[in-house]
């Protein structure tokens, strides 16, 4: 029997979403009723669609009894996670040709890396790229020549944006085709050590660069458990890719076999076939909650408190932070991956990977096992793929192979999940507590108020932060400057904590999966630009961040104060940021998904 809270949260999402979901399904049904849209195209339309194809390909595409799969790719060759996708379209086409089917690259979507843009102007456009990618995905599919969709995308805003865009064509069977993580480089402990040494001026840039290049060294996703790998884990748990496929190495034979299999199986699910399974049947309140449970049990990226809300809205569902918080109260932490522990995603895969986690969650009745995945049934997502005598098979996943990374049956790393909702007179926020030691989960200290992470870094280097403090970084919300991630703060705050100071962070900006051991109240809403109380704070105000009871309060009287006025021109113009002014004006709050879509 499913845990009562899982059932309750699933039911209330369904109930509060009735009108929105019905409108979504009605729209998708109208599209489905058009039948094979390729068959309804005029001859000139079809000629344009196949003009560049080979003779054999033209024959298959123009044969309306065959499947034509649309590929939406995030390939580029400068980002490690997406570089492996270069040869995927040709591989997919070859696998489908053996069955008499075809595939076409419907379009490409931008793929920017937060690792490259951290602390740079590009980070002010990063969050907005998700909705841009959703639009690009919808445009890619708008030629209406496809019977199914394969999404090639992995990282932070890219995969959520692709699925949001694909939901505009949710009458089509749709699946992700992952590419996998790079091999492990230097240890995560060594990364943290060198970064903190650099922040403290103990080592130079050459030592830092050598370390970073040792950590990020080849094709595949970064191996720490940030937003990219959280996407892969959560979307596998939602049934949006083949079971056990998220974290298989990019250059393994098993990875190649999984890519071929995804192409073959999606081609058998097209409209009109007995196995027809559109995306609208896969993404519902049950699969959404399964993804959230996996997110919390793994201590995943806080970015998903934004992305999952936006994704839900695209599917006609209304998800709230209260839902996530209530789930977190009953979902235990079952995984230790950096920054929640020293291990990386490859160690997690070796310990049992996503199927191992799903097995543990199913044992505890924490999954909606009646959810409908893209492929097979939810029970299949408790199995792992393998090549046996050259044949791809799925085998039941056993007990954890590394209990320090994936907890064995009957054990947990923490009784509650990794993300908690905070609320108080400063507004609402989320905090990732899975890596925060119990003694640091309640911080009461004077505020030090800044408007950028760069100003915090400068104050630290000047020796101006050697005290107990709640660091406040405001005017970094979606409407102010695109809600950048504030990763430059972590080595600074880590050093302050290491020096014995009580330290916490309060911000209307983001931190993704990197908040680590510092209690960080992030995504504060209302944001400062929209009149949030965070905009009233001054240096010395007594703040309390209580990640145990879920409170975020200023203990100093704020009555009679007016909002601080900040000139954001330098954060809104230059390097292309001026092109996103329409998004800054239209974007919703973080709690509503930080999206421009209704």
């Amino acid at each position: 029997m499913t845990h009562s809270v899982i059932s309750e949260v699933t039911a209330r999402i369904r109930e509060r979403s009735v009108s929105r979901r019905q409108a979504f399904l009605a729209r998708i049904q109208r599209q489905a009723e058009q039948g094979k849209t390729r068959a309804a195209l005029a001859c000139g339309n079809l000629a344009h669609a196949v003009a560049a194809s080979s003779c054999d390909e033209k024959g298959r595409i123009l044969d309306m009894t065959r499947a034509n799969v649309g590929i939406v790719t995030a390939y580029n060759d400068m980002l490690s996670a997406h570089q492996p996708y270069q040869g995927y379209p040709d591989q997919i086409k070859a696998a489908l040709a053996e069955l008499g089917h075809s595939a076409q690259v419907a379009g490409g979507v931008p793929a920017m890396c937060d690792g490259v843009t951290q602390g740079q102007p590009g980070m002010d456009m990063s969050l907005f790229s998700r909705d841009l990618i959703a639009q690009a995905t919808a445009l890619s599919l708008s030629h209406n020549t496809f019977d199914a969709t394969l999404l090639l995308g992995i990282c932070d805003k890219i995969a959520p944006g692709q699925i949001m865009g694909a939901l505009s064509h949710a009458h089509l069977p749709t699946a992700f085709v992952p590419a996998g993580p790079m091999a492990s480089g230097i240890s995560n402990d060594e990364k943290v050590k060198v970064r903190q040494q650099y922040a403290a001026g103990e080592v130079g840039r050459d030592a830092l660069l050598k370390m970073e290049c040792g950590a990020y060294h080849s094709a595949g996703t970064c191996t720490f458990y940030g937003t990219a790998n959280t996407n892969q884990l959560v979307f596998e748990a939602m049934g949006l890719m083949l079971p056990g496929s998220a974290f298989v190495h990019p250059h393994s034979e098993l990875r190649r076999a999984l890519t071929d299999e995804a192409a073959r199986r999606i081609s058998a699910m097209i409209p009109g076939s007995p196995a027809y399974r559109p995306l609208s049947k896969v993404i519902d309140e049950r699969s959404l909650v399964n993804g959230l449970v996996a997110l919390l049990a793994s201590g995943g990226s806080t970015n998903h408190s934004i992305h999952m809300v936006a994704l839900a809205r695209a599917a006609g569902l209304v998800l709230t932070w209260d839902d996530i918080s209530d789930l977190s109260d009953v979902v235990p932490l079952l995984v230790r991956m950096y920054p929640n522990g020293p291990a990386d995603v490859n160690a997690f895969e070796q310990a049992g990977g996503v199927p191992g986690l799903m097995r543990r969650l199913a044992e505890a009745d924490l999954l909606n096992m009646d959810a409908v995945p893209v492929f097979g049934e939810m029970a299949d997502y408790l199995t792992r793929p393998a090549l046996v005598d050259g044949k791809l098979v799925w085998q039941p996943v056993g007990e954890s192979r590394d209990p320090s990374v994936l907890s064995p049956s009957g054990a947990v790393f923490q009784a509650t999940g990794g993300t908690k909702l905070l609320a108080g007179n400063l507004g609402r926020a989320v905090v990732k507590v899975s890596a925060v030691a119990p003694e640091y989960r309640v911080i009461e200290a004077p505020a030090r108020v800044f408007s950028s992470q760069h100003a915090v870094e400068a104050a630290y280097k000047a020796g101006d932060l050697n005290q107990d403090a709640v660091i406040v970084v405001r005017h970094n919300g979606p409407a102010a400057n695109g809600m950048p991630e504030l990763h430059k703060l972590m080595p600074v705050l880590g050093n302050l904590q290491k020096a014995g100071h009580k330290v916490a962070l309060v911000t209307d900006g983001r931190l993704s999966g990197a908040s680590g051991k510092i209690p960080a109240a992030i995504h504060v809403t209302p944001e400062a630009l929209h009149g949030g109380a965070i905009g009233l704070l001054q240096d010395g105000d007594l703040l309390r961040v209580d990640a145990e009871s879920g409170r975020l309060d200023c203990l100093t009287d704020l009555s009679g104060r007016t909002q601080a006025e900040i000139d954001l021109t330098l954060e809104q113009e230059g390097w292309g940021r001026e092109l996103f002014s329409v998004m800054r004006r239209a974007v919703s709050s973080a709690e509503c998904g930080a999206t421009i879509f209704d």
Side-chain angles (χ1 to χ4, degrees), residues 451-493:
S451 60
S452 75
Q453 61 180 329
H454 311 294
V456 178
E457 185 179 42
Y460 172 76
K461 290 180 177 179
D464 195 28
L465 292 180
N466 295 319
Q467 62 182 93
D468 293 351
V470 175
I471 304 300
V472 177
V473 183
R474 63 191 182 191
H475 291 97
N476 279 250
N481 63 347
M483 205 179 190
E485 290 181 353
L486 308 176
H487 282 209
K488 295 182 77 173
L489 297 175
M490 286 302 99
V492 169
L493 300 185

Side-chain angles (χ1 to χ4, degrees), residues 8 16 19 50 71 100 212 278 323 382 388 393 401 411 434 444 518:
E8 289 166 12
R16 80 163 70 96
S19 60
V50 301
I71 301 170
E212 297 289 6
D323 296 328
L382 280 59
V388 178
V393 298
R401 298 177 184 175
S434 50
E444 187 175 303
I518 306 299

Side-chain angles (χ1 to χ4, degrees), residues 23 26 61 68 73 85 158 219 230 251 256 273 389 404 492 501 523 598:
I61 296 170
N68 188 38
T73 179
Y85 281 138
I158 301 157
T230 301
H251 303 308
R256 185 172 185 85
S273 72
D389 297 327
S404 70
V492 169
H501 298 300
H523 308 170
D598 179 24

Side-chain angles (χ1 to χ4, degrees), residues 178 236 241-249 252-259 261 265 349 352-356 380-388 391-397 401:
E236 182 175 324
M241 60 181 70
L242 282 171
S245 63
F247 298 127
V248 176
H249 191 274
S252 67
E253 287 301 312
L254 179 57
R255 169 59 68 204
R256 185 172 185 85
L258 287 165
T259 300
E261 182 71 3
R265 289 178 68 170
E349 174 67 9
V354 183
D380 298 319
Y381 286 76
L382 280 59
T383 64
R384 298 190 73 181
L387 286 175
V388 178
K391 182 180 179 181
L392 181 61
V393 298
W394 273 264
Q395 302 167 333
V397 65
R401 298 177 184 175

